[in-house]
C-alpha cells in the first residue's frame, strides 16, 4: 500500500489535486481590480492637480475620460451587466493607454503633438514691441510636450501607458473567465 492509501486518497485523486488549476480569481475580482486601478489613476491625476499644483495639459485631460468610462463600466459590470460589456472596459483602458503612449512620445519628441498644445510657441518676429512687453499673456497654459514630473525616467503619461497595459490584462482576463 502506498502512503496515500493510508489517508484514503488514491493516486488519481492525489494527481488531480496536484495538477488541478486552482483559481481564486473570479470574473468580478478581475473587474474590481481593473476598476480600482482606473480609479486610483484618476484620483492620482486629480491629486497631482489639486494638491500638488501640477496643472494638466490638453492630452492629460484626454487620458482621464476613458478612465472615467472604465470606472463606470466596471461598476455596471459588478452589478450584473452582460459579460460582453467587459470588452468595452478593456477598450476604454486600451484607449487611455494609447493616448498615454502618444503623449509620452510627444514629450520625448518622438513625434509631433497637436499644434494647439505643443511647443512651437509664438513667432516673436511677427510681434510688436508692445506685444512682447505685454503682461496679459495667458497664465496656466501647460504645453503637452513639456515633462512636468517624472519617476524613473517616465512621465505621468508614460506611467499611465504602463499601468494601463496591466489593467488591460485584467479586463481581458475578466472577459475570458467563465464566472
Amino acid at each position: 500500500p502506498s502512503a496515500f492509501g493510508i489517508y484514503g486518497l488514491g493516486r488519481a485523486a492525489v494527481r488531480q489535486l496536484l495538477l488541478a488549476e486552482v483559481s481564486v480569481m473570479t470574473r468580478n475580482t478581475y473587474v474590481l481590480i481593473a476598476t480600482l486601478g482606473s480609479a486610483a489613476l484618476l484620483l492620482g491625476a486629480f491629486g497631482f492637480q489639486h494638491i500638488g499644483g501640477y496643472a494638466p495639459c490638453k492630452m492629460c485631460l484626454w487620458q482621464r475620460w476613458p478612465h472615467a468610462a472604465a470606472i463606470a463600466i466596471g461598476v455596471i459590470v459588478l452589478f450584473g451587466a452582460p459579460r460582453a460589456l467587459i470588452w468595452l472596459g478593456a477598450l476604454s483602458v486600451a484607449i487611455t493607454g494609447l493616448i498615454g503612449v502618444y503623449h509620452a512620445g510627444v514629450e520625448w519628441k518622438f513625434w509631433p503633438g497637436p499644434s494647439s498644445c505643443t511647443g512651437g510657441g509664438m513667432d516673436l518676429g511677427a510681434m510688436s514691441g508692445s506685444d512682447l512687453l505685454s503682461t496679459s499673456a495667458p497664465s496656466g497654459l501647460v504645453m503637452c510636450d513639456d515633462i512636468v514630473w517624472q519617476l524613473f525616467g517616465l512621465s505621468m503619461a508614460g506611467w499611465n501607458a504602463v499601468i494601463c497595459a496591466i489593467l488591460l490584462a485584467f479586463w481581458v482576463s475578466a472577459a475570458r473567465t467563465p464566472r
Side-chain angles (χ1 to χ4, degrees):
S2 71
F4 301 118
I6 296 171
Y7 299 106
L9 296 174
R11 287 180 193 262
V14 171
R15 184 165 193 233
Q16 188 176 19
L17 282 172
L18 293 175
L19 297 177
E21 181 179 328
V22 179
S23 177
V24 294
M25 297 293 283
T26 65
R27 181 183 325 145
N28 279 351
T29 305
Y30 285 122
V31 171
L32 181 63
I33 291 169
T35 302
L36 291 175
S38 280
L41 286 173
L42 195 53
L43 286 173
F46 284 125
F48 271 96
Q49 179 180 352
H50 296 291
I51 298 169
Y54 292 96
C57 71
K58 183 185 287 191
M59 286 198 289
C60 292
L61 295 174
W62 293 350
Q63 292 171 75
R64 293 180 184 188
W65 289 105
H67 278 301
I71 294 166
I73 291 165
V75 169
I76 292 167
V77 168
L78 289 171
F79 281 103
R83 182 176 172 181
L85 195 59
I86 295 171
W87 289 109
L88 197 54
L91 179 63
S92 295
V93 170
I95 288 170
T96 190
L98 289 173
I99 295 170
V101 168
Y102 174 63
H103 188 184
V106 169
E107 290 172 334
W108 296 328
K109 313 296 189 255
F110 289 160
W111 43 72
S115 60
S116 62
C117 70
T118 54
M122 299 175 142
D123 180 10
L124 297 180
M127 297 178 75
S128 69
S130 63
D131 289 336
L132 290 170
L133 295 173
S134 172
T135 59
S136 64
S139 63
L141 180 65
V142 179
M143 303 304 287
C144 296
D145 55 355
D146 289 338
I147 299 174
V148 296
W149 179 91
Q150 63 182 341
L151 178 66
F152 305 123
L154 285 179
S155 66
M156 285 188 250
W159 281 111
N160 182 55
V162 168
I163 295 169
C164 283
I166 295 167
L167 295 178
L168 180 60
F170 279 102
W171 279 107
V172 170
S173 295
R176 299 183 70 188
T177 300
R179 290 187 135 233

